[in-house]
Amino acid sequence: AEPGFNGQNTCKGPVQKGLRYNMSGRTDEPALPFPLADGETLATGVCCDSAYAPYAEPKYTFNRTDVNFFATLEQQQLPVTFYDSVCGIPLFKAPQNRTFEDFKADTIEHGWPSFRPAEVVDGNVKILDNGYVISKCGTHLGSNLPDEKGTRYCMDTSCISGNPAARD
């Protein structure tokens, strides 16, 4: 493992600074299955460290008072675009084909921001054979956990809190 990682670095670059929803710089995460490596943040661990690939950020991270996910979203024009925390490409636009309240209820029910196929930005998100969801940049985003409504992208808030990549 390289310094700052428990496993291998699977990302094509560093996690952005200044992530949305106050997701930058989180290092004290006792709910993880094993401690973050020295110098590793929650976003780097969950989105880029191969050792954490089978795991997720702690359930209901989005609901912490200092994250304030839904209160932040309610201040924005809908649908909201969610960006890769490493490369800044758009991943999801939500809500689509459902209300904000339905998106919120789905997320609260499952414990992680939960997106449906209509909300995926075409070509930027893929589901691997093992159910892991990654961006076209290779950032680990979460898992596909289908329910009675079909495909459900359960995403780690840390990995979808990026800022848009600068346009060339």
Side-chain angles (χ1 to χ4, degrees):
E2 60 184 279
F5 288 85
N6 285 307
Q8 298 302 308
N9 179 358
T10 59
C11 286
K12 291 187 168 61
V15 170
Q16 295 178 357
K17 296 187 180 351
L19 294 177
R20 294 172 179 202
Y21 320 112
N22 200 26
M23 293 308 298
S24 291
R26 294 175 174 273
T27 55
D28 183 25
E29 291 293 340
L32 289 173
F34 48 89
L36 292 163
D38 286 344
E40 190 171 47
T41 65
L42 177 65
T44 302
V46 172
C47 311
C48 300
D49 189 333
S50 63
Y52 286 103
Y55 306 101
E57 70 189 10
K59 194 171 188 179
Y60 300 114
T61 294
F62 71 88
N63 217 23
R64 294 178 183 173
T65 53
D66 63 332
V67 174
N68 220 6
F69 187 72
F70 285 112
T72 302
L73 295 182
E74 287 167 351
Q75 304 303 312
Q76 299 180 40
Q77 185 168 344
L78 300 177
V80 174
T81 301
F82 297 86
Y83 297 91
D84 186 299
S85 292
V86 175
C87 68
I89 62 169
L91 303 168
F92 300 96
K93 290 183 180 176
Q96 300 276 356
N97 296 346
R98 59 180 174 165
T99 66
F100 182 78
E101 288 307 314
D102 288 342
F103 169 61
K104 185 174 179 178
D106 211 14
T107 294
I108 291 168
E109 176 186 349
H110 299 296
W112 290 271
S114 296
F115 300 91
R116 298 297 175 169
E119 296 165 328
V120 175
V121 174
D122 283 346
N124 287 358
V125 177
K126 57 185 171 182
I127 301 173
L128 303 180
D129 291 342
N130 60 8
Y132 296 166
V133 178
I134 64 168
S135 74
K136 78 173 184 183
C137 306
T139 307
H140 179 88
L141 304 174
S143 297
N144 173 32
L145 300 172
D147 64 6
E148 69 282 352
K149 296 176 192 158
T151 299
R152 186 184 47 170
Y153 297 83
C154 282
M155 301 296 95
D156 292 301
T157 310
S158 306
C159 307
I160 61 165
S161 297
N163 294 292
R167 304 223 182 256
D168 318 90

